[in-house]
């Protein structure tokens, strides 16, 4: 317990629950009219939780890029990358099997071959996309570690500014007038080094290592709140204008999500970094954090089982059904993960 970073554990627990909020909210989301009461409630909850995946990436960067924590190439591949690959193939097969059982689909000698090929091609259960993305970041981690070790603070800030510009700001502005006429010119620069989730990966280390004065933090918190409001109101506006759900502002690299993620990370870090929690709270948080990877992997099976039992986000008023269902999935996923981890050799490696 002494070596735990409590605010990181808390962020991981919150992010795990937020993923479940998103997936509960997403059920029926595309079928409802954006003007309906139910759609707007689901949009509200979904918008509140969009920071979850970026936080997962930032936490990985926070630990993997720490120069004081040795990460050899051998350890990276034989432990971290191997674990994610094993989980990807195991759960890819499990979810495909589960889907065919539910849909009474064909199960013949080609099942394993077809599933294996689909996993190789990235065509597996939707929430497993995260594993492909994090594998890519793990593979380039040795290069990032060299950069971080040699970089000054302003060098890292330069990377983050360029990353934010090309991965978040420009792709967001491209949707809107008059930027849609100007932004393609800049996007065509194709600055691949900083594109994608690498900016969150590096940002996680930066925010864990460096602080801000109170004035800057207040500004970031205000931007974070504005980011949430823009997601909620902007997504509703774009969807009503389109006449059907428009998820443009939901994407994890949009500016609105980006600033919300940064603000939440900083707030939780500052609030819990030097706060003393009792032993029971610390133990509970650390265990859930430890199980979070397995809970993420198993939770969508729990969600669909509950749906088949007639318990889903529109079973009753979604103001109540979404959080109640998400809490139920969270608890069941925790115990399911706890059970799976007891399987000799395999359990801890696939969760």
């Amino acid at each position: 317990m002494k070596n735990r970073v409590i605010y990181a554990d808390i962020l991981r627990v919150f992010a795990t629950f937020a993923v479940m909020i998103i997936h509960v909210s997403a059920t029926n989301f595309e079928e409802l009219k954006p003007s309906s009461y139910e759609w707007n409630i689901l949009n509200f909850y979904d918008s509140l939780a969009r920071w979850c995946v970026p936080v997962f990436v930032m936490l990985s960067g926070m630990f993997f890029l720490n120069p004081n924590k040795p990460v050899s190439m051998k350890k990276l591949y034989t432990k971290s990358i191997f674990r994610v690959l094993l989980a990807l193939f195991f759960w890819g097969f499990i979810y495909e099997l589960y889907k065919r059982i539910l849909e009474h689909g064909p199960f013949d000698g080609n099942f394993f071959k077809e599933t294996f090929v689909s996993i190789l091609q990235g065509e597996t259960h939707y929430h497993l996309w995260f594993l492909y993305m994090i594998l890519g970041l793990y593979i380039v981690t040795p290069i990032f570690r060299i950069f971080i070790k040699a970089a000054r603070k302003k060098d890292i800030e330069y990377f983050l500014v360029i990353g934010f510009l090309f991965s978040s700001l420009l792709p967001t502005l491209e949707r809107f007038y008059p930027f849609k006429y100007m932004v393609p010119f800049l996007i065509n620069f194709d600055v691949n080094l900083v594109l994608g989730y690498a900016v969150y990966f590096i940002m996680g280390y930066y925010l864990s290592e460096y602080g801000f004065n109170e004035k800057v933090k207040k500004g970031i918190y205000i931007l974070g709140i504005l980011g949430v409001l823009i997601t909620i109101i902007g997504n509703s506006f774009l969807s009503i204008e389109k006449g059907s759900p428009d998820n443009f502002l939901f994407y994890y690299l949009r500016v609105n999500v980006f600033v919300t993620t940064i603000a939440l990370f900083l707030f939780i870090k500052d609030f819990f970094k030097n706060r003393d929690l009792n032993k029971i709270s610390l133990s509970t948080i650390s265990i859930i954090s430890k199980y979070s990877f397995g809970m993420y992997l198993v939770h969508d099976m729990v969600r669909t089982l509950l749906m088949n039992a007639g318990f889903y986000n529109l079973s009753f008023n979604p103001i109540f059904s979404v959080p109640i269902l998400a809490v139920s999935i969270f608890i069941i996923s925790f115990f399911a993960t706890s059970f799976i981890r007891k399987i000799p050799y395999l359990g801890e490696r696939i969760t």
Side-chain angles (χ1 to χ4, degrees):
M1 298 289 285
K2 291 181 180 180
N3 295 324
R4 305 297 303 185
V5 181
I6 186 62
Y7 77 84
D9 282 337
I10 290 171
L11 277 167
R12 192 174 287 110
V13 171
F14 285 174
T16 303
F17 180 70
V19 166
M20 298 173 190
I21 287 285
I22 285 179
H23 291 163
V24 170
S25 301
T27 306
N28 302 307
F29 188 79
E30 297 294 331
E31 288 74 38
L32 296 170
K33 291 184 178 180
S35 58
S36 68
Y37 165 79
E38 291 82 3
W39 187 91
N40 279 282
I41 297 300
L42 298 182
N43 177 60
F44 172 78
Y45 279 120
D46 204 331
S47 298
L48 286 181
R50 280 285 142 184
W51 48 267
C52 57
V53 168
V55 162
F56 280 138
V57 177
M58 290 171 69
L59 290 172
S60 292
M62 169 181 168
F63 290 108
F64 275 92
L65 299 180
N66 186 348
N68 298 319
K69 182 182 178 183
V71 180
S72 67
M73 194 81 73
K74 180 180 178 181
K75 182 180 179 181
L76 180 67
Y77 274 85
T78 59
K79 186 177 179 181
S80 302
I81 291 178
F82 174 74
R83 183 190 180 198
V84 176
L85 279 172
L86 184 62
L88 174 59
F89 279 93
F90 177 85
W91 289 104
F93 275 98
I94 291 296
Y95 272 100
E96 183 60 30
L97 177 62
Y98 175 68
K99 183 174 69 175
R100 295 200 185 192
I101 291 172
L102 286 182
E103 298 175 356
H104 305 288
F107 182 76
D108 51 32
N110 291 323
F111 168 76
F112 290 100
K113 178 183 176 181
E114 292 172 356
T115 304
F116 182 77
V117 171
S118 69
I119 293 171
L120 289 179
Q121 295 177 342
E123 299 171 356
T124 186
H125 198 70
Y126 74 96
H127 78 306
L128 299 182
W129 76 270
F130 177 80
L131 302 186
Y132 294 92
M133 179 268 290
I134 207 68
L135 278 170
L137 291 174
Y138 283 178
I139 288 171
V140 297
T141 288
I143 300 171
F144 283 145
R145 283 179 61 85
I146 293 171
F147 166 67
I148 291 295
K149 188 174 182 179
R152 298 162 296 178
K153 181 184 178 184
K154 64 180 182 180
D155 297 325
I156 301 174
E157 290 170 346
Y158 176 77
F159 181 97
L160 293 175
V161 168
I162 299 300
F164 171 71
L165 178 66
F166 284 93
S167 290
S168 183
L169 182 60
L170 293 178
T172 303
L173 292 178
E174 188 179 21
R175 171 72 182 268
F176 305 102
Y177 178 87
F179 303 104
K180 62 182 180 180
Y181 298 111
M182 300 178 287
V183 168
F185 170 73
L186 297 174
I187 287 182
N188 283 331
F189 290 177
D190 207 16
V191 188
N192 289 305
L193 178 64
V194 297
L195 292 180
Y197 289 88
V199 66
Y200 282 128
F201 201 60
I202 300 289
M203 182 67 78
Y205 168 77
Y206 180 84
L207 293 182
S208 69
E209 188 69 19
Y210 300 104
F212 299 96
N213 62 48
E214 290 302 314
K215 186 176 181 180
V216 171
K217 281 191 288 190
K218 286 180 181 178
I220 293 173
Y221 295 154
I222 291 171
L223 287 175
I225 294 170
L226 287 174
V228 173
L229 293 175
I230 289 170
T231 309
I232 297 170
I233 299 170
N235 200 56
S236 178
F237 176 81
L238 291 175
S239 297
I240 291 173
E241 184 181 53
K242 181 181 176 182
S244 61
D246 188 324
N247 300 330
F248 178 79
L249 293 174
F250 274 176
Y251 295 133
Y252 297 122
L253 282 161
R254 297 293 180 238
V255 171
N256 48 297
V257 177
F258 192 97
V259 295
T260 300
T261 303
I262 304 306
L264 181 73
F265 191 101
L266 278 178
F267 176 78
I268 297 297
K269 175 190 173 184
D270 284 354
F271 190 81
F272 287 102
K273 189 171 184 180
N274 297 313
R275 191 171 294 270
D276 292 326
L277 301 178
N278 60 56
K279 290 184 178 180
I280 295 176
S281 297
L282 287 172
S283 177
T284 302
I285 292 167
S286 64
I287 290 172
I288 298 175
S289 176
K290 185 178 179 181
Y291 288 6
S292 61
F293 183 55
M295 292 169 68
Y296 175 88
L297 294 169
V298 77
H299 85 274
D300 206 58
M301 188 175 295
V302 176
R303 182 186 67 85
T304 52
L305 283 171
L306 291 176
M307 281 181 58
N308 288 330
F311 186 24
Y312 62 104
N313 59 8
L314 299 182
S315 295
F316 48 98
N317 192 322
I319 287 181
F320 305 107
S321 66
V322 171
I324 290 173
L325 185 53
V327 169
S328 302
I329 294 170
F330 187 88
I331 293 171
I332 296 170
S333 298
F334 173 82
F335 285 107
T337 301
S338 178
F339 174 78
I340 294 170
R341 288 177 69 87
K342 290 181 171 60
I343 300 173
Y345 181 78
L346 186 64
E348 294 187 5
R349 289 173 170 80
I350 57 171
T351 56

